[in-house]
Structures are given as C-alpha cells and as structure tokens.
Amino acid sequence: MSAETLQVLADVGKGKSTRGVLRVIILALIAGASIASRLFSVILDPWFNFRATKYLVANGFYNFWDWFDDRTWHPLGRVTGGTLYPGLMVTSGAIWHALRALTIPVDIRNVCVLLAPAFSGLTAIAAYLLTNEMTTYNSAGLLAALFMGIAPGYISRSVAGSYDNEAIAIFLLVFTFYLWIKALKQGSMLWGALCALFYGYMVASWGGYAFITCLLPLHAFVLILMGRYSTRLYVSYTTWYALGTLASMQIPFVGFLPVKTSEHMPALGIFGFLQLLAFLDYVRSAIPSRQFQTFLWLFAGGIFVLSLAALVIATSAGVIAPWSGRFYSLWDTGYAKIHIPIIASVSEHQPTAWPAFFFDLNLLIFVFPVGVYLCFQELADEHVFIIVYAVFGSYFAGVMVRLMLTLTPVVCVAGAIAISTILNNYLVAKTPTEEDQQAAEAAEKKGTKSGLKSATKPVVGIYSLWSKSLMVASMAVYLLIFVMHCTWVTSNAYSSPSVVLASRMPDGSQHIIDDYREAYQWLRQNTKEDAKIMSWWDYGYQIGGMADRPTLVDNNTWNNTHIATVGKAMSSREEVSYPIMRQHEVDYVLVVFGGLLGYSGDDINKFLWMVRIAEGIWPDEVSERAFFTPRGEYRVDGEATETMKNSLMYKMSYYNFNNLTLEEAFTSENWIIRIYKVKDLDNVGRDHISAAAFEKGLKKKKATKKRGPRVLRVD
Amino acid sequence: MAPKRNNANRGVSPNPKTAATSASATSSSAVPLPPNPNPSAPIASRPSSSHSASSSHPKTSASAPVSQTWDKVVSNLTSHYQKSTPQRTKLLDAFMAFLVVVGVLQFVYCVLAGNYPFNAFLSGFGATVGQFVLTASLRIQTTEANKKDFPAVSPERAFADYVVCSLILHFFCVNFIN
C-alpha cells in the first residue's frame, strides 16, 4: 500500500505544492487508517479509569483532585485523587467539555471509548514529525507514520475501548521526543519549554515517564562523551530539565519524587554536569589552552570529588531513596520474583518471549537494525538519539512484555528510515552515466594519493531495470504482508476483550462466552448496594465498575499487605480464612474457575502468586512449598497436597463444593465465575465450623469457638 | 607524592614513544607560550590530574608552581572578561550572580533550619535555578561568538523565548508553592 502511494507520489508529485498537499492527504489517510484499524470490537476496559472520568465530569476538577474513594480497598479506602495519574481523565473530560461547548452532545462514555484510537492518529503524525527530523526523505516520515499507526505492538494498548494511561501516553512519548530533537537541533529555549510542557503532560499521564527522564539525560551524556558538547545542548537540556522537573512536581502522585528518588538522579546529575561544562567552555574561550589545562584538572577534579561525596552521603543518609523495586526488576529479572511477588505476578511484567517481537512488530523487527545502522552512517546529534533509544528500548522490551510499547516507536522510525532508503535508492537513483563514472574514478585516484580512502565515495548506482523492479516489487510485497499481518493480529489477538471470551464450536461457528458479564450483572441485581466482594485483585476494577460493588483489592496495587491478606484468606484453611473474611466484612467471595471449560486464566492458575504474596507477609503461616507435591509438582488432581486440598481457593474451585462457612450463591453458565456467600454466624453466635464441631461432639475447637464470637461481637 | 612525580618524569623523558601522544602536545604547546613562567609547571601539575581524588593534596605538595599558574589563570580570566564582554552581557552576569547568591542562601537556610515547607523551598530554589539557566541560555544565545551555533535564533527571538520560558517557570513555581 505504501509503496504504491510512493509511486503515485513520485509520478504525480512533481511540483512542490502538489507534494505538500499529497503529503497532508496521505497523513490524514494514515491517521484515518490507524483509527479505523482499532475499531474491531469495542468494550471499555480499565473500568476504574472510566469511573474516575465520570466522577470528574460529574463533580468538577477540584472535587476530583480531592476524591477519596470508599468503595474500593474496603475497609481502607483509597485517596484516589492523590494516587492516580490524572492526565487521561482530564484529557477526556476536556474533550467532552469542548464538544459540549461546540454544541455537540456526546456521552462521556463515547469520548472514553474513542480516545485511544483518536490519539493513535496523533501518534502517527508525531512519528512523521520525529522521522522527518532524522532524514531528508519525506517518504521516511510517511512510512513511519504508517508503521506507527498499524504496528500491533502499539495497537495492543490502544484499541477502541482500551481506556488506559498508555492510550495517550505513547503519543506524548513520541511527541516529547520530537520536541526534544527539535530543541536540540535549534538550540531554542522555546522548543525546550514546549518539550518540558509535554513532558509534564506525560508525567501526568503515565508512570512510564521515567523512560523519558532517563533517556534524555542519557542522550545528552552520550553526546558529551562523544565530544559533542555544544551550547545548543546546554540551552535545550537545561531549559527542559528546569521547567520539566517543576512541571512534573505539580502532579500530587509524583510530588517530591523528582528530587528524592534515584531514578531521577541521572537527569539532575547531567544538569549539574552541563553547568560545569558550560562554565569550562566559557573559560576555555577566554584563556590560553596551556593554562586552561591546569585550570581544568584542578577545577573539574575538585567538583567531581565533591559531588560524588555529596551523592554518597545523601544516599547513605537516606535523603535520596534507593531505586524502587520496579527498577531493580528491570536490571535483574529474577529480583522481582523473590522480593516483590506483586510485581512479578502481573503477566505484563514477565520477560518477553522471542516470538512476541515478531508477533508485535513483524517485518519491522528485521529492518530495525538496518535503520539503526543507517543512523550510524550519518551520526548527527539526532541520530545518536535514535541509537541510544534503540539500545535501551530493546533492552527494556526484552525484560518486560509491557515495555514493548516503548520500543515500538523507535522500531517504526528506524524501520521507516531503512525502508525509505531502500525504496529511494531503487526508485529514484539514476543510473550513473559513463562520464560520472570516469570522473569518480579519477577522483578516486586522487583520493588514494591524498591518503584517506574512506573519505572518497565510490560510485554506486543501480544499472539494470530488472534489479530495480525486483527490489521494489519485493519490498511492496513485504509491506503488503506487514499490513495483512497487522490486521490479522489486531482482529484476532488484541481485539478480544478479557471480559468476553470467544471460542469455536465443533462445527466451526463462533461461540461467545459471556460469563463475566453475567456474573457481574447478577451481583448488581441480587446483592445489597454495599455488599463487599472479595476476589483476587485482577477483577477488582471490573467488579467496581460493572457490578458497582465495593471490593477489597483492585488493580491499583498500592497496598501490598492488603493484597497479601486476601491471598492469605484464599490460601489458608477455612478456620483461618473465616475470621479474616468476617473481620473485613466480606459478604461474597468471587472466584474464577476454568475447570469445566478448560479456561486457563483462572484463579487456580494464579493461585501460586496468591500464596507467594501472602508468604511475603506471613512467612510462618503460609508456605509455598506446602502447595507442591513431594516431587515438586503443582497438582490439583488426586495427588494434591493436604494444604492444597484444604485451602479455601481449592475448595471453592474443585474440592468439596459445599463448604462449611461459605455457601454457593451463583455459578455462571459455563461455571467460569462462582460466587459464594459468606455465611453469617448462626443464631447462637457461633461460626459454622465450631457449630459443626459441636454437633459432632468434638471438644477441641473450644479455643476457636471462644475467640471467634468475642472478636466479632466487638465490632 | 614525591615518588609519583618521579615516575611521571621518568615516563616522559627516557621513553618518549609511549607518552608521545600526551607529552608531545603538552611540551610543544608549552614552549611558545610567553605567559608561562616555568616549563616544569605542566609536568608538576599532571600528577594532580591523575591523582585528583583529593584536590587539596597536590596543591600542598607542588604549591609554588600551581598557585603561580593559578594566579595567572585568574588574572587572565578577569582581564579577558572585562575587556571583551559587552555591557548588556555584564548586566545579565550580574543578574546571574544575584541568582546564585539567592539560591545559595536558600540552600543554606534549608540545610541549617530544616526543610519543613518543602514545597516552598523547592519552588523557591527551583525558581532561582531555573531562572539562572534561562538567563545563562539567553547569554549564550546573544553572545556574538556563538552566533553560528544558533542559525534559527536571533537575539530578539532569544529574548522573546526567555520571557515565555520565565513566565512558564514562575507559573509552575507559584502553583507549587502552596
């Protein structure tokens, strides 16, 4: 598709204005295509963001800022206004208000659903701008826009209805990088300030802003090491840092982090270093070089030692916090599993499998290194940026699946540079004439005499029409395959929302499994307004949004202990779990059970993480080892261990479908969701375990019997 | 310290091939320069570079030559500054010096008296630092010698940029000060 547009462009667009118009039209079409390719299926996901937006629209900005949410994290509640990135909600709220002001009545839900596709169109344009800074070929920019628009690595987070922070963050990421390159090239304060403003917007939108915070200093540092310090670098970097840091501190959730945590220290360090360099630069221009050396050694050495000492003292005195857990897990992939299971338990935080690169980037992953190589050939300041970004993006994408998202822009840019170079050489390059060749040979002879062979350029040209057409045709085929792959991936893999499952019947017809919504609907209609639902945190946002019931834990995993409490309740015996549930006023317990259908994403599958997280807080009460058979297997069949069989989760899923303390309240059509009601105390105030024990005539439960009611009567 | 310097001397004189790249440049440039009083100064100062872990140390050991060159450096610097800096730029420099003083005062206050309204300290300090770098940028952009670095930025544009950036900076500071 793009090759054909290029050909059309080459044929028709002879005049400059025609080309400009064509370029605008093509960009508009690309933006349209990137929006259209995201509309395969529409289901609003992260329900929490939608809920927050509704709150924002209904109650205004200041109330939203101070919002305390008592319907999540029961009984703690959550200071929502201070613990979220408000960029997404504020953006859609602003769009909603703008549309209302234009007398276009839209539902806030529609704004939320279509926000991600709309911003993907903007991302495509930002990629065009960024690429145009790298190369003189305009086609590269258009190709980059196209790739950015349809690359599955980005689509995965921006289909219609995927209303998450990444929806706008990737646009901001690419656009901030564009502004940075622009500022660096021109050495302009204004562009630096714009870069800082968009950086601030990015900080308001996504925790991944740290990527920018680390990448820009790194770029500056590499430039300095290459001996490329320039006054332009000073102007752009310091303007960005001074304004951007202040901008980022405006967000309550970020607050003082930029001056306190180690993630932000490289940026500060480079900022100070640039001040030194600027001063030295000035001194060098003022005095003779001999004296300058003396000056340099004394001055730079002294400053270096002083600042190093200050850093060490500040870190050891605890003024600067050490690196946070998520960042350790970026360096050491085994770290998270041992120390912070809550991070490792998220499937997005797992290391990336090799096929995922091909699946998400297809053709681009092959041409990506070519593009980086071409950047090495030119190696201006902005090409260094692409190289640095490519190296770090690749590393981080390899460490965490989720960070594939930050790699995608640079892959698109580098791939577009590579492909457009190939196409330009084979489409446009003229066959060199005899005279050219002779002149070049003569020049080459001269060149060998003067010494530097690599400085002379050999004559390169494509002579035969065959090779031209063959090459162009094969590139066109590759690009077509890429488009087909993207469409296929989008429609099959990334447009299936987690709430509705699609499967095939034996006769090939599609069968929709809609158990989640069935269960949430049941909760909404059959339970009390304030009935507390206990489930694993994955389903917290959905229950909060779709069933509108308070939950104990949800996807905003801010309180590890609370999650561990739920994990402990799930993984312990009923005697232990029941008091926990009573203390947290749990009315219903929701589990996901895939045993009937063979659905693999169920709670038993996630069960080990619950155990691990609980073990992290109560190592002597929950032990992961006890859930494995003596041969080290994780089994749920007849050979399951006793601990496993007695755990609440297992009982609710497989074993002994009748529990003593819970009674089945609802099971969805395919048994995927099972909801249990926590039984109240019986009419003499005993819990059911001790009551049953009493019936049997056992005496040994006396202690529990005594303790249970007394604790409960208090509240 | 003394054996170190001997090593350095030995390394330069009998075996010029290994130290050729560094030593040739230094010695050749040291000879034609008239303001340099004694040619042994660069060699004496080099151990301090390789050994700059304690910057005060070499000063005491080789105090006489280093301090002499140091004086020379400072006097050269001040004379160059006074001669070749336009009046407007000097005004900017005065402002920058003022900002440095204010910033240092705030920092000292924060260290001595505690950082309790941390918001206020950060925005005050951030305002001085930000204004300082913006002024430095303006100074760089308006200096004649740097003109070729900024083809897109005329002095008028530089000043307009400066005003806009300062406005943004102070907006953030006022918003953050609580």
Side-chain angles (χ1 to χ4, degrees), chain A residues 236-398:
Chain A
S236 50
Y237 185 83
T238 53
T239 313
W240 166 74
Y241 182 75
L243 294 182
T245 308
L246 272 172
S248 65
M249 287 194 287
Q250 312 294 316
I251 312 301
F253 190 33
V254 177
F256 301 138
L257 290 184
V259 291
K260 286 201 157 169
T261 54
S262 295
E263 290 101 271
H264 299 81
M265 283 303 125
L268 181 63
I270 296 293
F271 179 73
F273 193 44
L274 274 175
Q275 308 297 332
L276 273 185
L277 279 179
F279 181 63
L280 290 176
D281 200 41
Y282 173 73
V283 172
R284 186 168 59 184
S285 70
I287 59 173
S289 65
R290 187 83 287 287
Q291 296 176 356
F292 177 67
Q293 275 196 341
T294 321
F295 179 82
L296 177 70
W297 288 124
L298 284 177
F299 186 76
I303 294 281
F304 177 72
V305 170
L306 276 183
S307 53
L308 194 69
L311 187 69
V312 169
I313 291 170
T315 313
S316 58
V319 181
I320 302 170
W323 297 71
S324 68
R326 252 172 244 249
F327 276 80
Y328 275 123
S329 63
L330 284 180
W331 308 118
D332 174 8
T333 42
Y335 177 89
K337 196 175 166 188
I338 305 162
H339 297 281
I340 20 174
I342 186 81
I343 290 177
S345 74
V346 182
S347 62
E348 287 172 349
H349 293 168
Q350 304 298 327
T352 316
W354 287 113
F357 282 98
F358 182 73
F359 187 73
D360 275 355
L361 300 164
N362 195 257
L363 155 79
L364 295 179
I365 204 68
F366 305 127
V367 292
F368 170 50
V370 182
V372 175
Y373 170 74
L374 288 172
C375 283
F376 264 110
Q377 281 203 320
E378 301 207 15
L379 214 61
D381 290 355
E382 60 269 24
H383 299 110
V384 176
F385 178 75
I386 290 293
I387 293 163
V388 171
Y389 186 4
V391 170
F392 270 71
S394 311
Y395 175 73
F396 288 136

Side-chain angles (χ1 to χ4, degrees), chain A residues 187 231 250 256 282 290-291, chain B residues 33 42 76 81 119 141 149 175:
Chain A
T231 46
Q250 312 294 316
F256 301 138
Y282 173 73
R290 187 83 287 287
Q291 296 176 356
Chain B
L33 277 180
N76 263 0
Y81 178 76
N119 282 66
Q141 289 186 340
D149 274 349
N175 191 27

Side-chain angles (χ1 to χ4, degrees), chain B residues 20 89 119 171:
Chain B
T89 314
N119 282 66
F171 168 75

Side-chain angles (χ1 to χ4, degrees), chain A residues 53-72:
Chain A
T53 313
K54 274 201 294 194
Y55 188 89
L56 167 69
V57 169
N59 297 311
F61 184 70
Y62 286 101
N63 282 324
F64 175 68
W65 214 245
D66 301 330
W67 183 24
F68 180 81
D69 188 4
D70 58 352
R71 289 183 74 75
T72 51

Side-chain angles (χ1 to χ4, degrees), chain A residues 550-570:
Chain A
T551 52
L552 261 68
V553 291
D554 64 27
N555 310 35
N556 173 276
T557 51
W558 67 274
N559 189 328
N560 191 24
T561 313
H562 210 52
I563 291 179
T565 310
V566 173
K568 185 184 171 192
M570 293 288 195

